[in-house]
Amino acid sequence: MSVTERNLLGEHDFLTGSPSDVILDIFCHLAIADLLAVRCTCRRLSWLSTLKVVWLEILQRDIVAHALPMPSYCLPLGMLSANQVECLVRHLYQVNRNMWRPSEPCHRAINLPSNRPITWVRLVLGQWVLIASSDISSSVISLWHLPSLLQPGRESTVSPVAQAFLDGPVEQGLVEVHHYHGITIALCLKKRIPCISVMTIENLGQTTAFRQLATITDASHLRFLHGSYIGVAFSQNISVSSVHNWRTGEIDYLQTIPDLKGGYIDMAARSNWIAAVSRMNLHIYMPDYTAGGRCKFWRGLNMPIAMSSACFNEAPVSVVPSGNGESEKLYLCIANHRGIHIYEVICRPLDDHLELIPVWTHNLGLVAQKYESLTIQPRFGASPHVITWLRDCVDLSFLPTFVAARIPTADSVVGAEDVIEISDPNLPSLYCQPVRDFDEARGVAIFGNAFGELALVDFSGVAGRSQEVLGSCFQPLSFPPSLGYDLLPTEPVHCVPAPPFPYCGGDLYDEHKEYLFELWREYEPENIPEGWDTDWELWGEWVCFVNGFQFDGIASLLENTYYYYGQVVPLLQRPDEYLIFEAGGLLFVLREQRLVPIPKLDDTRHIELGNSVSRWEYERKHQKRNRWQELVDRGGKVHWSLLAKDIHYRPSKNSQ
């Protein structure tokens, strides 16, 4: 035996012969990779490296101390075994390395193409995925087991755990999880008379199924879901934001007249107050749930900056004690042409204190123009410390990019490496009605679009048995037994579609054009005044069949009308002069690019309708890829009405 071998053996004997507490203290200072290497030396060291105390210390050192995201739905650490804690720590560490490192994010894409456009997706508790796929008159809502979809090579053999059909295309959706007591789902259906369908998932013994809880007719603009209460707007009433109790049917209007500056863009409910943000103000309401949920206006703040879109984080973050009560934190994201702005909303009703504190700002740079403000679509991740958005580009050769950023906390500093971008040509395109969800702690994102493209993006690299162990670390989603409500149908059902106006999709056949005109004529008044008509096919400026068209402000006015009030329904026109239409139960008059009651916007920029069609044409001609044809080849149909809302902004050459 050489001297070197004896020295190595002596060192080895010294380590294995040391007391266990000494070895454990050494292990707690090792990097994860080194600890796993030591595990391969002998049985004693291997056993000691699996003890829970070691991995709890590493969790504190590598995850908590660096303010890395922890799943909010994780079981208490005291309930987890040593194997579960190790699997959780290794997962979180690997996700952080793959996702937030300065170089290109390392991910694995699992493509799950559909024969219907994907209109809504949601990740639930790190274990489940809700997917809504829709056509012009119906949709399918399905529940999938996430660990099964993430198993390499098995995604094509996985079937949904539950599935049901709805009589209308899904446009929006919200989910509320009642830990150990099931789940509530609210979906907004875009029909001629819109409605919100409230449902749950129940255990029927051998199977699980979607069960209808309530239907709110004539409701749209789904804003929040909190217990029995839903924030909505009623289209044919006065189109103002309201709080609706879906169990009792009681309605409490938060306003008496529509807000001419746009109404509430988003709302959030907490235990004893409701926040609502408009383009100019932040309002706080105090609901009395014991008195049918009646809401009383409490206080308001003027917004510090102008906005085009905004969103709250969905779940409460923490409770900070105060002198006379408790303060529930709420985060608000504001997007405009200058950047992404995060504010913390601190509301202490007992102290009569309402405060809006700036937290973080991300400048969008020269790429962002005013036309992008409604297409950014900011959304919080699974926690309020991650914000995501879409970044578009005028150059059609560049695909829109998914961007995620970590917001700094008191224990962290966000640098350039904490903003990631994903623009993968193998993933669903983000230019045609994109939908998405992102769980940064689980390390999973999901993307879909109107082409029926659907994909999961996995940043963890966890597979096989480790997926099952990781899933056991999270709070289970229980499916309670039947509550006696009606089951949702498992066979297709259809509705009368809403009229898309203005149409800005791809080229249509003559029979489709005539069908579109018939939809619009169904709303014509009984007595048409002299000089007015409903001959929509004779005035091509209201319908676009090839490559989009440009106006100086008209498109932005129509888009804002749709965004704040709902589906635009044409009534009468006077060629080249007037347009009268209805949206949200209100009458609007458009004359010479002036809209009443929507205020006139900046008319110095050109607007292009059908930007998604332009990108589709570019891909078809220059990249030899036809995404619509791919949908048809999968057995789907090109549902042109889904493009009616897809209006994007482009600056004029004079404004650049």
Side-chain angles (χ1 to χ4, degrees), residues 290-564:
T290 62
R294 297 298 177 184
C295 299
K296 180 180 179 181
F297 177 78
W298 176 56
R299 289 192 62 179
L301 291 175
N302 294 328
M303 299 306 300
I305 60 174
M307 72 176 74
S308 293
S309 58
C311 65
F312 291 107
N313 65 298
E314 292 187 4
V317 183
S318 60
V319 176
V320 179
S322 64
N324 299 319
E326 294 184 336
S327 170
E328 289 185 273
K329 287 188 177 181
L330 178 70
Y331 287 87
L332 169 65
C333 175
I334 296 174
N336 57 26
H337 67 282
R338 293 184 177 181
I340 306 291
H341 314 271
I342 306 295
Y343 292 86
E344 179 182 334
V345 181
I346 298 180
C347 179
R348 292 197 296 265
L350 297 181
D351 295 339
D352 194 30
H353 179 75
L354 177 63
E355 189 175 5
L356 198 62
I357 302 175
V359 174
W360 181 76
T361 295
H362 179 81
N363 294 323
L364 294 178
L366 297 177
V367 176
Q369 303 289 343
K370 292 183 178 181
Y371 72 93
E372 280 192 330
S373 52
L374 287 178
T375 62
I376 292 173
Q377 299 181 19
R379 292 175 189 168
F380 285 95
S383 74
H385 303 301
V386 171
I387 188 71
T388 70
W389 67 91
L390 301 180
R391 191 182 70 181
D392 204 349
C393 184
V394 176
D395 189 344
L396 298 181
S397 62
F398 292 94
L399 291 174
T401 303
F402 170 78
V403 184
R406 283 198 297 191
I407 303 169
T409 63
D411 302 323
S412 67
V413 178
V414 174
E417 69 276 7
D418 292 305
V419 178
I420 63 170
E421 298 182 1
I422 300 177
S423 182
D424 189 338
N426 297 318
L427 292 178
S429 63
L430 300 178
Y431 67 79
C432 186
Q433 295 294 294
V435 294
R436 69 186 194 274
D437 198 13
F438 182 55
D439 188 338
E440 64 281 0
R442 184 62 171 84
V444 174
I446 183 169
F447 302 96
N449 60 24
F451 296 119
E453 298 171 342
L454 178 69
L456 285 167
V457 178
D458 180 21
F459 294 94
S460 68
V462 176
R465 171 65 178 166
S466 298
Q467 278 286 352
E468 300 178 10
V469 178
L470 180 64
S472 65
C473 300
F474 305 144
Q475 295 177 3
L477 178 60
S478 61
F479 303 124
S482 176
L483 299 175
Y485 296 95
D486 294 332
L487 287 176
L488 288 172
T490 56
E491 298 294 333
V493 290
H494 300 276
C495 72
V496 178
F501 183 88
Y503 174 74
C504 53
D507 194 12
L508 297 177
Y509 294 109
D510 290 339
E511 58 268 26
H512 291 163
K513 294 179 183 179
E514 185 57 35
Y515 175 67
L516 184 62
F517 296 140
E518 289 179 1
L519 283 177
W520 295 351
R521 291 194 193 99
E522 289 183 8
Y523 292 86
E524 67 180 32
E526 294 182 359
N527 299 315
I528 300 179
E530 184 178 355
W532 296 81
D533 61 62
T534 58
D535 297 329
W536 304 104
E537 66 273 26
L538 300 180
W539 201 24
E541 291 179 324
W542 295 119
V543 63
C544 159
F545 293 118
V546 181
N547 293 336
F549 61 96
Q550 293 186 344
F551 280 143
D552 289 338
I554 292 180
S556 64
L557 295 171
L558 292 174
E559 169 68 356
N560 277 272
T561 305
Y562 185 101
Y563 187 75
Y564 295 115

